[in-house]
Amino acid sequence: PCVCIESFGSAAGGGVVDGFAVARDLAAGRPRASPSPIRVEFGILPGEGAATMPRFEFESDADRRLVDELVRGTGAYVERVSIADDGDAEGGGSPERAPSLGSAPSAGRGCSIVVDPLDDVMVHITTRSRIATVTTNAIAVTANVFKSRLDGTARKGGDEKGMSSIRTKVWSGLEVNSSDVALVGARVSGDVHLGHILLARISNGSMEVVNVTSAQCLHETSEQMKAKSE
């Protein structure tokens, strides 16, 4: 599968932990006629300013063993969510159906993580067929657990209770529904005067604009309606 990693949630870590996000396009390289399943994992590294660096397939055996020994046991995954082909999510929220451009391209796939410059708990996962937005307080919750340990205020069973307060939500922002086009990139504007918008570039040269605030509001409203009907 295609795997990518980005630093994430440094502000939420409060100088106690640094976070990172990992995205995997589970259908990378396989022709499909529907949006690919995506797995997103959030992890932490203790300490402020910890560096998250990519690993390379061409590492020598000696280099790989050295780096493995240096980083083994220093971090942990604290949250994960899987977004299925049909738009359902496991481990987090269930994404709403996204605005559509028109089945996924038959060529090889790629994936990338776009860390939101305006919201420290939000990332956008981009593949050739869709953009999914994920919000999570996992880094902030983990940082609070670490602070309790460092301050000596942690209570018996407090770690489990604290980690159970992690909340993760997922929704689709944009989906490609034509075999002739694919998503080739996305960025979120850091200019607050433009609003909270995501720009997606399509393989045919066109650009699509996604209002992140509106998409999030629709998702929240839908979740509230589901909760009331249950």
Side-chain angles (χ1 to χ4, degrees), residues 117-183:
L118 301 181
D119 192 333
D120 194 54
V121 300
M122 179 180 291
V123 293
H124 308 274
I125 313 300
T126 303
T127 70
R128 290 172 59 85
S129 59
R130 65 155 39 146
I131 297 175
T133 299
V134 184
T135 62
T136 183
N137 64 348
I139 308 302
V141 169
T142 307
N144 287 334
V145 170
F146 269 72
K147 286 180 181 177
S148 297
R149 290 182 181 179
L150 294 173
D151 295 340
T153 59
R155 298 180 179 179
K156 185 177 180 180
D159 286 2
E160 291 78 6
K161 183 178 180 180
M163 297 303 286
S164 67
S165 64
I166 290 177
R167 296 291 181 267
T168 301
K169 299 180 180 180
V170 188
W171 64 90
S172 289
L174 191 65
E175 292 182 4
V176 169
N177 185 44
S178 169
S179 58
D180 297 326
V181 296
L183 292 165

Side-chain angles (χ1 to χ4, degrees), residues 38-132:
I38 307 167
R39 178 177 298 162
V40 186
E41 297 170 306
F42 297 93
I44 58 95
L45 294 169
E48 184 178 10
T52 303
M53 301 181 66
R55 300 291 297 273
F56 302 96
E57 292 185 0
F58 51 80
E59 289 175 346
S60 66
D61 290 340
D63 286 344
R64 184 170 65 253
R65 287 194 296 269
L66 177 61
V67 175
D68 286 348
E69 287 299 322
L70 288 173
V71 301
R72 183 176 289 120
T74 59
Y77 285 113
V78 294
E79 176 68 321
R80 59 171 49 92
V81 59
S82 296
I83 307 170
D85 284 3
D86 58 2
D88 291 333
E90 300 174 356
S94 54
E96 309 306 314
R97 298 308 298 174
S100 188
L101 296 182
S103 74
S106 59
R109 298 175 184 272
C111 65
S112 63
I113 299 173
V114 179
V115 178
D116 198 291
L118 301 181
D119 192 333
D120 194 54
V121 300
M122 179 180 291
V123 293
H124 308 274
I125 313 300
T126 303
T127 70
R128 290 172 59 85
S129 59
R130 65 155 39 146
I131 297 175

